[in-house]
Amino acid sequence: MTVFLQQLINGLSLGSIYALVALGYTMVYGVLRLINFAHGDIYMLGAYIGYFAARVLRGHSIHPLADTLIILTVSMVVCGLVGLLIERLAYRPVRHASRLTMLIIAIGVSLFIENLSQIVFGADPKFFPQLIPEKAWHFSGVILTNQQVLVLAVALALMLLLNLFIFKTRTGKAMRAVSFNLDAARLMGINPGAIIALTFALGSSLAAAGGILVSINIPGIDPLMGVMTGLKAFVAAVLGGIGNIFGAVLGGLILGLAEVMVAGYGSSTYRDAIAFLILIVILLFKPEGILGKGQIEKV
Amino acid sequence: MAGTSKGKNRIRVAGSMAIAACGWLAFTACDKKEPAVTASTEILIGEFGSMTGATATFGQSTHMGIMMAIDSLNTVGGVLDKTIRVISEDDQGKPEEAITVVTKLINKDRVVALLGEIASSNSLAAAPVAQKSGIPMVSPGSTNPKVTEVGDFIFRVCFIDPFQGTAMAKFTANNLKLTRVAVLRDIRSDYSVGLADFYTKAFTAMGGEILADESYSAGDKDFTAQLTSIIAKNPQAIFLPGYYTEVGLIARQARKLGLTVPLMGGDGWDSEKLWEIGGEALNGCFYSNHYSVDDTSAMVRDFVAKFKRRYEGKVPDAMAALGFDAAMVLADAIKRAGTASPDSIRMALAATQGFQGVTGSTSLDSFRNAVKPAVVLEVRDGKNIYKGSIEP
Amino acid sequence: MKNTLHTLLALAALWLLSVGVNALLIHGPILQGPYIFQILMLAGINIVLAVSLNLTNGITGQFSIGHAGFFAVGAYASAALTVYFGPIFLKSLEMFPRSLNEALLLLLALLTAALAAAVAGLIVGIPSLRLKGDYLAIVTLGFGEIIRVLILNIDAVGGARGFSGIPPLTTFFWVAALVALVIVAVHRLVRSSYGRAFLAVRENEIAAQAMGIDLTRTKVLAFVIGAAFAGMAGCLFGHFSMYLHTNSFTFIKSFEIIIMIALGGLGSLLGSVLGAVVLTALPELFRGFESWRMVIYSLALILIMIYRPQGLLGGKSPFRSKRKPRSP
C-alpha cells in the first residue's frame, strides 16, 4: 500500500508538470489551431534560464524560497518574451497558410531551438543547483519531500491564477472569444493579433515554470529534455480535450499517474509508449478528448 | 515495363550510359592502385569516443591520455621515423554515430589503426566496420566480452566483465559480508546488462541472494518508480553497474526516498563528474576500477604528475590511464611490426606480452583481451579511496 | 513480353553500372572512393524514403510523420530473418555460388521487409481514416514512437542495446535497383487511375467521396505502398551498416525525411529525389560543423515554408489556404 501511495505522489508530481506544459499547448491550439511543437523546447529554455539565474544568485542568496520565486519569475518573463518572438517571426507570416505548412514550420522552429541550444549550452547535461535544502516527512513508509510539496503548490497556484485570468477578466474573455471564433471576435472589436501574442506569451511562461519546477526535483537538464515532455504534454492536452483549460490539467495528471504506474509496476522502458498508446486510444474512440465537445463537419 | 516510346528511350539511355561508364572504367581500372600505405611522413591513427553527451568525460579523459602518450612519442621522433597523427572524432556516446565516424575515419581519412571506444555498446557497433575493413581497433576500456569476439582485428587493453562482475561479487560477499542485494541495470548499455548478469551469476554462486532486478534507460531522469520497488524489498545493498550520470542521479533520489544502504558499481562510475552529480548521496559507496590515483608504484606516480602538469592540475581518471596505455601499446605494436600496414599492426598487437603500463602489465591472451587486476574504490567526500585489489 | 524484356535490360544496365561503381570507387584509384561510395548508398536509401513518403504526404495529402516507424519495421524484420535464418539458408544452398546465395537471401529479406512494413502500414492506415490534418500527423507520430518502443523491448533484436551481427549483404546494385523501382512505381502510379484517386483525396476528400472514390481504400493504399518501400529501404540500410539501433529511427528521422520532401517540393517526384540527395550529401561538406548542420537545416526549413512552401520543384502549390470558414 505504501508503495502505491508513494507512486501516487510521484505520479501527481510528474502530472502537474505535464499539466503546466499542456496548458500552453491547449491555449495556443485554441486560438490558432496550431500544434506548437516548439512548446516543449520553451520548457527546456525555462529550465536553462533558471539554471543561469540560479548561478548568478549563488553569491547573493536571500532566502531559499525567495530565491526560487525570483528565478521562477525571471524565467517565466524571459520565456514569455521568447514565445512572443517565435509567434512574431515564425507563425505570424504564415497565419493564413495551410495547417500543414504551419505544422512543418513548428517542427522547424523546434529543431532550430534544440540544436542551437546544443551549441550554446553544450549537449552535456547540466545540474540544477539545489536551491532549497532538503527536508523529508515520513508518513508510515511514504516519503514526501519539501521540494515535492513546493512543486505541487506552485503548479496549483499557477493553474488557479490562469483560471482566474481566463474566466474572470475581460482579456481572458477576449481569449476565449478568439478561440471560439476568430472572425466573430474581430467583429466584436477584439484585436486577434494582440490576443494571439498574449496567448503565446502566457503559454510559454507556464511552460517555463514547468521547466523550473521539474528541475527542482530532478536536477539534470539537457537541451533535449523538452522533446519527450513536450510530446507527452501535448498528448495530455488532447486527452483532456484540446482547447479546454481544465482538460489540460486533467489530462496532465492522468498521464503523469499512468506513466509512473507503468514504470513502477511494469517496465520503465515502456513508460514513453504509454503516452502514445493513450493518445491513439483517445483519438480513435473520443477524438475530442475527455472534456471536449464533438465537432460536426458540415458539407 | 514502359510500353511508351518515352519509356523505351529511358531504358536505352540508361543502358548506354552504363555501358559507356564501364567502357571508360575498363581503361582506368586496369591501373588498380591500392589506396594504402604511402611514403608519407605521418602515421594516421583514428580515435573515436564520446566527447559530448552523458558520458562525455569518458571520451574527453581518454583523449587526454592518448594525446599525452602520442605527444611524448612524437617529441622523441615518433615511431618508425614518422610522426603519429591522431584524428579524433566525437560519437556523442551513440552507437550508430560510432559507426558513422569510424566509417569516415577508415574511408575518408584512411587511418591505419583505431583507438576506441570506452562504452562497450559503441565498441560493439563500430567493431564490425573495423573488422570488415581490415583496420585494427584497440579499445582502451570496453569491458564487455563480446567486443573482441567480433573478430581478430579487435583488441582491448583492459579486463573483461566476467572478471569484474566476479570481483565485485567477491567484494560484496567477503569484504562487506552481505547476502541480500538488489540489482539496478541500464538496459541501454551492453556493458551494464553484461556486468549485471556476471555479478548476479557470481554472487548467487557464492550463496548470495538477488532480491530484485530492476532496470532503467540511460537518459532517464526519474528513477523513483524503480527505487520505490527496490526499497520495498529491503536489500542490504544495490548493485548499480551503470554510467556516472545516471548513477549520480540515482544515488540522490535513492537517499531522498530513504535508502541508507551502500550502492556498488563498476568502472562506469569513474568520472570527476560523479561526485558533482551525486554529491554526498555517494558517501560509503564502492566501485571497481582499472587503477587508483593513489597507487604508489613509480609508473603511476610519474604518470599522475606528468598528467597534472600538462592538464593544469587535473587528476587523471581510469579512462585517461587506459587511453594512455592503449596508445602506447598501439605505438609499440607499430614499431614491432616494422611497417604501418594494418595487417602487420594486427599481428604485432596480437603478440603483445608483458607491456608495462599505468594500468598494469598488458599481455593479450588468445581472445585479444588483457588480464589485469581490478581495484575497488570507496567514494567518500569527493575522493575515491583505495580499498583493495582483486587479482584475476 | 516487351515489358519483361525491358525490365531485364534495365536490371542488366543497373548491374553493369554497379560493377562500374564498385570498380571505380572501392578498388579504384580514387583515394576517397569508399567514402563517396558510402554517401551514394545512403543517398539512395534516403531517396527511397523520400519518394515513398511523398506518395503518402505529397500526393495523397495524408500528413504522416511516422515514416521512420516503417523504416524501422522493415530494417528489423529483415535483419531478424538474415541473422537467425540466414546461416541455415546459406548452408542449404552451399552447392551454388556464394554471391548468388547471398543475393537470394537479400531478396528474401527485402520481401520480408516489404511485407512487415506493409502490415504496419495497414495498422497505421486504418485509424488514419477517421482523422485529418494535425490529428493525423500526431497519431502517425505516436505510432512511429510506439513501434520504436516496442522494438526497443524485444531482446531478440537487441533491445535497447542494438542489433549487431547483421550480414553486410547490401550492394550498390540493390540500392540502385530499389531506387529505380520506387521512382518508376510512383511515377506510373500517379499517372494511373489510382493516382488520380490519390490526388482527388488530397484536394478535397468530401468531393472525392461524392465522385465515388472509396476513401478507405485509397488512403490505406497510399499508406501501405509508402510503408512497404520504406521497409525495403530499411532492409538495405540494416544490411549496409551491419548494426541497428532504435536511436536511428526516432521521430527526428521522420522529420528529416519531411525536410527532404518539403525542400524538394511536396508532390514532386524529382523534388524528393533532389531533396534526398542534397540532404545526404550536404552534411558531409559540413563535417567540421556538425553541430551547426541541424541549426541551418531547420532555419532553411522555416524560411522555405514561409517564402516558398511549394519547395524547390513543387509545381502548383498544394498549399493553397485550406482555412475553412469557421462555423459560428
Side-chain angles (χ1 to χ4, degrees):
Chain A
M1 190 57 192
T2 50
V3 175
F4 179 74
L5 281 174
Q6 188 70 65
Q7 303 287 35
L8 202 71
I9 295 179
N10 297 342
L12 285 174
S13 275
L14 188 61
S16 42
I17 306 289
Y18 287 152
L20 281 174
V21 183
L23 280 169
Y25 268 116
T26 226
M27 291 197 303
V28 167
Y29 190 86
V31 296
L32 265 191
R33 297 289 182 274
L34 164 75
I35 303 170
N36 182 12
F37 270 115
H39 196 61
D41 302 300
I42 309 270
Y43 156 90
M44 175 270 293
L45 283 177
Y48 269 95
I49 293 173
Y51 168 79
F52 288 117
R55 290 253 297 248
V56 165
L57 217 56
R58 254 278 155 81
H60 327 275
S61 168
I62 307 167
H63 176 277
L65 216 58
D67 287 349
T68 316
L69 283 172
I70 294 176
I71 291 174
L72 201 60
T73 320
V74 167
S75 180
M76 284 173 74
V77 167
V78 174
C79 284
L81 291 171
V82 172
L84 277 176
L85 202 69
I86 293 176
E87 193 272 324
R88 196 75 182 64
L89 292 177
Y91 298 139
R92 191 170 289 205
V94 287
R95 189 83 66 69
H96 298 289
S98 81
R99 300 255 290 269
L100 261 35
T101 312
M102 291 181 80
L103 199 63
I104 297 183
I105 292 182
I107 294 176
V109 173
S110 173
L111 290 175
F112 179 73
I113 296 179
E114 281 161 22
N115 286 285
L116 195 61
S117 303
Q118 284 189 309
I119 298 179
V120 172
F121 302 134
D124 314 344
K126 297 222 168 358
F127 295 90
F128 213 76
Q130 207 176 21
L131 298 164
I132 306 175
E134 212 177 285
K135 218 168 70 159
W137 298 287
H138 298 243
F139 303 98
S140 58
V142 177
I143 301 187
L144 193 65
T145 64
N146 56 348
Q147 288 161 344
Q148 280 174 316
V149 172
L150 181 70
V151 167
L152 283 167
V154 173
L156 213 65
L158 286 172
M159 288 185 240
L160 281 170
L161 281 172
L162 183 73
N163 191 32
L164 278 172
F165 178 74
I166 302 239
F167 290 100
K168 298 274 193 276
T169 67
R170 282 193 58 162
T171 326
K173 197 179 271 190
M175 279 174 69
R176 278 184 288 143
V178 169
S179 75
F180 200 64
N181 189 323
L182 192 136
D183 296 313
R186 188 184 287 134
L187 288 172
M188 291 289 117
I190 296 172
N191 179 354
I195 295 294
I196 291 173
L198 180 67
T199 310
F200 262 90
L202 217 53
S204 302
S205 51
L206 286 174
I212 304 254
L213 291 176
V214 83
S215 306
I216 291 179
N217 264 332
I218 300 168
I221 65 175
D222 68 272
L224 297 177
M225 66 189 272
V227 173
M228 261 302 154
T229 308
L231 277 178
K232 290 181 192 171
F234 177 72
V235 173
V238 172
L239 175 64
I242 196 143
N244 185 314
I245 304 282
F246 296 116
V249 175
L250 186 65
L253 291 174
I254 295 178
L255 194 61
L257 284 167
E259 192 180 307
V260 164
M261 291 303 165
V262 163
Y265 291 109
S267 161
S268 83
T269 34
Y270 281 109
R271 76 188 298 159
D272 286 346
I274 192 74
F276 294 107
L277 206 64
I278 291 178
L279 175 71
I280 289 174
V281 167
I282 267 283
L283 284 178
L284 288 183
F285 296 109
K286 199 172 196 291
E288 59 274 7
I290 299 178
L291 296 179
K293 290 182 286 274
Q295 287 224 309
I296 308 169
E297 196 177 3
K298 295 205 175 82
V299 182
Chain B
M1 205 66 196
T4 63
S5 59
K6 205 164 157 201
K8 263 193 244 179
N9 263 337
R10 284 212 185 110
I11 298 178
R12 287 205 191 106
V13 168
S16 14
M17 266 172 49
I19 294 172
C22 296
W24 172 57
L25 284 164
F27 285 104
T28 55
C30 281
D31 185 8
K32 261 181 10 177
K33 257 193 302 222
E34 259 262 318
V37 186
T38 56
S40 85
T41 53
E42 286 186 322
I43 297 179
L44 292 175
I45 295 184
E47 176 206 355
F48 66 106
S50 52
M51 315 290 183
T52 56
T55 51
T57 64
F58 288 171
Q60 291 163 0
S61 286
T62 314
H63 179 71
M64 290 195 272
I66 291 175
M67 292 320 292
M68 193 166 118
I70 299 295
D71 286 345
S72 72
L73 289 171
N74 280 336
T75 45
V76 292
V79 168
L80 302 178
D81 289 324
K82 299 188 191 171
T83 350
I84 304 179
R85 187 153 72 96
V86 176
I87 304 180
S88 301
E89 289 287 347
D90 174 21
D91 61 22
Q92 303 168 33
K94 301 179 187 160
E96 68 280 5
E97 204 50 41
I99 296 179
T100 309
V101 300
V102 162
T103 314
K104 177 236 173 205
L105 284 167
I106 294 177
N107 288 339
K108 185 165 190 241
D109 301 308
R110 319 296 289 174
V111 299
V112 297
L114 288 162
L115 285 169
E117 229 244 25
I118 296 288
S120 298
S121 293
N122 302 342
S123 293
L124 278 170
V129 180
Q131 178 69 27
K132 181 157 177 260
S133 310
I135 302 286
M137 178 176 129
V138 181
S139 164
S142 287
T143 49
N144 189 293
K146 289 192 288 192
V147 173
T148 43
E149 285 169 23
V150 171
D152 56 354
F153 274 84
I154 316 298
F155 303 83
R156 77 175 104 215
V157 296
C158 55
F159 53 60
I160 54 176
D161 282 331
F163 167 64
Q164 192 177 192
T166 312
M168 278 314 279
K170 280 190 198 162
F171 182 78
T172 317
N174 304 338
N175 297 55
L176 299 179
K177 309 241 191 303
L178 301 175
T179 51
R180 295 184 350 261
V181 169
V183 171
L184 182 56
R185 64 178 77 199
D186 176 358
I187 213 155
R188 258 188 192 237
S189 154
D190 288 271
Y191 158 77
S192 185
V193 170
L195 188 51
D197 285 340
F198 294 123
Y199 177 89
T200 303
K201 200 159 76 162
F203 191 63
T204 45
M206 287 175 212
E209 203 191 326
I210 302 289
L211 301 173
D213 192 337
E214 299 280 338
S215 62
Y216 63 92
S217 201
D220 281 355
K221 300 275 168 49
D222 184 18
F223 311 92
T224 44
Q226 297 94 316
L227 286 169
T228 307
S229 293
I230 289 179
I231 294 172
K233 306 249 172 70
N234 207 8
Q236 294 171 311
I238 304 183
F239 187 59
L240 185 57
Y243 292 132
Y244 63 89
T245 302
E246 284 80 33
V247 169
L249 289 173
I250 290 174
R252 268 194 204 269
Q253 289 178 17
R255 301 300 175 218
K256 260 199 228 180
L257 289 172
L259 186 86
T260 49
V261 299
L263 306 171
M264 297 179 295
D267 60 329
W269 283 37
D270 195 45
S271 163
E272 56 182 3
K273 285 229 161 216
L274 181 67
W275 183 262
E276 193 184 307
I277 300 170
E280 291 172 346
L282 291 163
N283 273 339
C285 295
F286 306 91
Y287 70 98
S288 49
N289 204 3
H290 304 269
Y291 107 125
S292 166
V293 141
D294 303 317
D295 193 327
T296 49
S297 79
M299 188 132 198
V300 175
R301 280 190 303 169
D302 184 54
F303 170 73
V304 174
K306 286 212 181 95
F307 193 91
K308 279 189 186 169
R309 251 204 318 271
R310 180 184 166 124
Y311 293 111
E312 293 152 2
K314 219 180 195 27
V315 175
D317 58 18
M319 310 309 167
L322 287 168
F324 184 86
D325 278 355
M328 294 302 252
V329 165
L330 180 61
D332 179 66
I334 298 176
K335 193 158 63 176
R336 279 182 285 124
T339 160
S341 103
D343 200 51
S344 315
I345 299 176
R346 175 192 69 80
M347 286 196 289
L349 276 169
T352 306
Q353 291 298 317
F355 188 88
Q356 293 302 325
V358 180
T359 57
S361 164
T362 304
S363 300
L364 297 182
D365 62 17
S366 54
F367 298 104
R368 299 170 299 286
N369 300 325
V371 181
K372 288 180 174 171
V375 301
V376 179
L377 304 172
E378 179 185 349
V379 184
R380 193 154 284 285
D381 301 322
K383 297 219 172 304
N384 303 324
I385 303 170
Y386 175 74
K387 291 299 281 189
S389 296
I390 305 196
E391 294 296 322
Chain C
M1 201 56 225
K2 226 189 322 183
N3 275 348
T4 327
L5 184 65
H6 281 150
T7 316
L8 285 174
L9 267 176
L11 285 175
L14 281 174
W15 183 75
L16 277 172
L17 181 66
S18 68
V19 166
V21 166
N22 276 317
L24 181 66
L25 294 178
I26 309 251
H27 307 292
I30 303 178
L31 198 63
Q32 307 250 294
Y35 179 60
I36 299 176
F37 180 80
Q38 174 197 341
I39 299 179
L40 279 178
M41 297 287 267
L42 289 173
I45 291 172
N46 279 335
I47 290 177
V48 178
L49 284 172
V51 172
S52 58
L53 184 65
N54 208 359
L55 182 66
T56 317
N57 287 21
I59 294 170
T60 319
Q62 301 305 294
F63 209 66
S64 158
I65 37 179
H67 217 54
F70 304 131
F71 188 41
V73 167
Y76 276 89
S78 57
L81 181 82
T82 50
V83 166
Y84 291 115
F85 298 113
I88 308 170
F89 180 83
L90 289 174
K91 193 137 175 62
S92 65
L93 292 176
E94 253 175 342
M95 65 227 53
F96 300 113
R98 179 110 189 155
S99 51
L100 185 66
N101 293 351
E102 290 188 344
L104 232 76
L105 182 60
L106 188 59
L107 189 62
L108 222 66
L110 277 168
L111 291 171
T112 313
L115 198 66
V119 168
L122 208 67
I123 297 176
V124 175
I126 291 179
S128 82
L129 296 180
R130 317 172 45 166
L131 304 164
K132 302 201 184 72
D134 302 344
Y135 284 139
L136 173 62
I138 295 298
V139 160
T140 53
L141 183 66
F143 268 117
E145 281 298 292
I146 289 183
I147 289 175
R148 186 184 63 84
V149 172
L150 284 175
I151 294 177
L152 197 63
N153 282 287
I154 303 178
D155 257 352
V157 290
R161 298 179 300 291
F163 198 15
S164 50
I166 306 174
L169 299 172
T170 306
T171 65
F172 184 81
F173 169 72
W174 288 103
V175 173
L178 189 62
V179 167
L181 182 67
V182 78
I183 291 178
V184 167
V186 171
H187 180 83
R188 301 191 76 207
L189 207 60
V190 169
R191 273 153 188 63
S192 71
S193 60
Y194 290 111
R196 283 194 287 278
F198 291 150
L199 292 166
V201 166
R202 178 184 82 186
E203 294 302 314
N204 191 323
E205 279 186 28
I206 296 169
Q209 210 169 17
M211 289 287 112
I213 291 174
D214 185 340
L215 276 186
T216 314
R217 217 165 83 128
T218 311
K219 287 188 190 181
V220 169
L221 197 64
F223 254 97
V224 168
I225 296 178
F229 275 113
M232 289 196 275
C235 169
L236 292 183
F237 175 71
H239 294 85
F240 177 62
S241 59
M242 298 184 282
Y243 174 85
L244 288 174
H245 195 287
T246 51
N247 278 352
S248 312
F249 303 102
T250 64
F251 54 78
I252 305 278
K253 183 71 190 171
S254 290
F255 286 176
E256 280 179 23
I257 312 174
I258 300 258
I259 296 179
M260 286 177 209
I261 61 177
L263 177 67
L266 264 93
S268 159
L269 186 57
L270 193 56
S272 308
V273 173
L274 201 66
V277 170
V278 166
L279 258 59
T280 311
L282 225 54
E284 296 306 316
L285 294 172
F286 279 120
R287 259 288 143 190
F289 312 101
E290 184 67 36
S291 31
W292 286 99
R293 170 170 69 105
M294 278 310 284
V295 177
I296 296 173
Y297 275 12
S298 41
L299 205 59
L301 181 67
I302 298 172
L303 292 171
I304 289 177
M305 291 325 285
I306 294 180
Y307 296 111
R308 198 185 158 80
Q310 65 267 42
L312 290 172
L313 294 177
K316 192 164 67 136
S317 169
F319 289 132
R320 284 155 296 145
S321 173
K322 288 214 173 94
R323 263 181 83 90
K324 300 197 178 89
R326 307 262 206 102
S327 49

